[in-house]
Amino acid sequence: MNLLIIGPQASGKGTQAENLIEKFGLAHVEMGGLLRRVSKEDSELGNKVREVINSGKLLSDELVVEILNQHLSSLGRLDNILFDGFPRVLSQAQYFEKFLEKKGKKLDAVIYLTLPREITFERLANRRTCGTCGKVFNLKTKPPKKEGVCDYCGGNLVVRSDETPEKIETRLNEFEAQTLPMVTYLKQKGLVEEIDGNRPIEIIFADISERLKKRGLVKNA
Ligand SMILES: [Zn+2]
């Protein structure tokens, strides 16, 4: 099966992606990480990506698909993949659909984790990251033993610069304006499993597994 996972910031997407990969033996194709890797490469594609990023522009759908295509060929298969971070807008989803179709493949389901806006803010407002080792804490659910100090390395705990309320607001607005139209499109295709992300991690994962089982995509969920 090929899955796509989507969800706003702090929806627990990363954790559920890890669970899916581990339990169902999927390959994780995570676009953000892939783009960062390619942008560091000394290759024609790497140069092209760097140029666009440095100019502050967004990568075109064609360029993103080119990178994805190259990565998928190196992976050597087009099955049992969890796509993450791509497609994220309607035009990409339509392009991607044709791309898979040409290869005789398809997307089997979309896991869409939902989270109320105020909960996103609450979760991120309580998040602290170690400036030294990068470990993440939560003042409510996973507080450090000593206030402001990392349990692992003794480094200072900080609010990440991309997790300020203004940045969160911008990103949530972007998600609603750009990604939700794609979700509507995929819903019309009957692909979307909408999952309430405002619950404990294990319960969310059990729910996801159950939905995949009902779709006949996995046997023992
Ligand atoms: Zn640390």
Side-chain angles (χ1 to χ4, degrees):
M1 66 176 165
N2 286 322
L3 302 178
L4 168 65
I5 188 164
I6 43 186
Q9 227 182 334
S11 61
K13 181 166 75 81
T15 307
Q16 297 304 334
E18 275 172 30
N19 288 342
L20 282 163
I21 293 157
E22 197 174 315
K23 180 151 184 196
F24 302 117
L26 305 175
H28 192 198
V29 174
E30 198 266 310
M31 208 57 203
L34 182 58
L35 290 177
R36 276 193 296 278
R37 281 202 303 282
V38 172
S39 73
K40 286 178 190 148
E41 271 173 20
D42 184 23
S43 65
E44 201 183 319
L45 200 55
N47 294 338
K48 223 194 274 181
V49 170
R50 259 196 311 280
E51 216 171 277
V52 178
I53 291 176
N54 290 341
S55 72
K57 288 188 193 129
L58 289 173
L59 297 169
S60 65
D61 292 351
E62 288 75 14
L63 189 54
V64 175
V65 169
E66 192 182 334
I67 293 164
L68 181 74
N69 201 2
Q70 200 182 65
H71 182 66
L72 290 174
S73 341
S74 73
L75 211 60
R77 65 180 215 224
L78 253 180
D79 272 315
N80 288 323
I81 296 173
L82 176 67
F83 293 96
D84 183 354
F86 180 91
R88 70 177 349 143
V89 301
L90 181 57
S91 62
Q92 288 178 350
Q94 290 167 329
Y95 198 103
F96 188 54
E97 197 179 13
K98 289 196 196 101
F99 169 86
L100 287 176
E101 208 174 86
K102 267 186 228 151
K103 309 200 179 233
K105 307 288 177 188
K106 63 181 170 52
L107 206 55
D108 295 292
V110 177
I111 307 297
Y112 170 35
L113 290 165
T114 63
L115 197 67
R117 240 180 139 88
E118 63 275 17
I119 305 290
T120 302
F121 277 98
E122 196 186 296
R123 284 190 182 176
L124 291 174
N126 288 311
R127 195 182 276 189
R128 295 290 180 277
T129 306
C130 174
T132 310
C133 74
K135 282 271 191 316
V136 179
F137 295 83
N138 186 294
L139 300 184
K140 269 193 183 160
T141 57
K142 194 196 169 207
K145 292 194 186 88
K146 193 176 163 205
E147 202 187 314
V149 179
C150 176
D151 288 353
Y152 303 90
C153 75
N156 278 332
L157 300 183
V158 297
V159 175
R160 268 171 42 174
S161 63
D162 61 344
E163 287 177 353
T164 60
E166 300 74 37
K167 294 264 172 71
I168 298 164
E169 177 92 37
T170 305
R171 232 170 314 161
L172 283 176
N173 289 343
E174 258 173 34
F175 183 83
E176 279 169 18
Q178 300 181 356
T179 304
L180 290 190
M182 178 184 84
V183 173
T184 304
Y185 172 79
L186 295 169
K187 261 187 197 162
Q188 285 160 356
K189 304 231 155 206
L191 289 174
V192 178
E193 292 293 350
E194 202 165 314
I195 307 277
D196 176 6
N198 195 17
R199 295 176 296 170
I201 290 169
E202 315 78 60
I203 294 182
I204 295 174
F205 189 62
D207 189 3
I208 295 174
S209 300
E210 192 54 39
R211 309 270 193 118
L212 294 176
K213 195 175 161 188
K214 270 192 192 145
R215 281 178 179 263
L217 295 171
V218 297
K219 283 193 188 99
N220 20 312

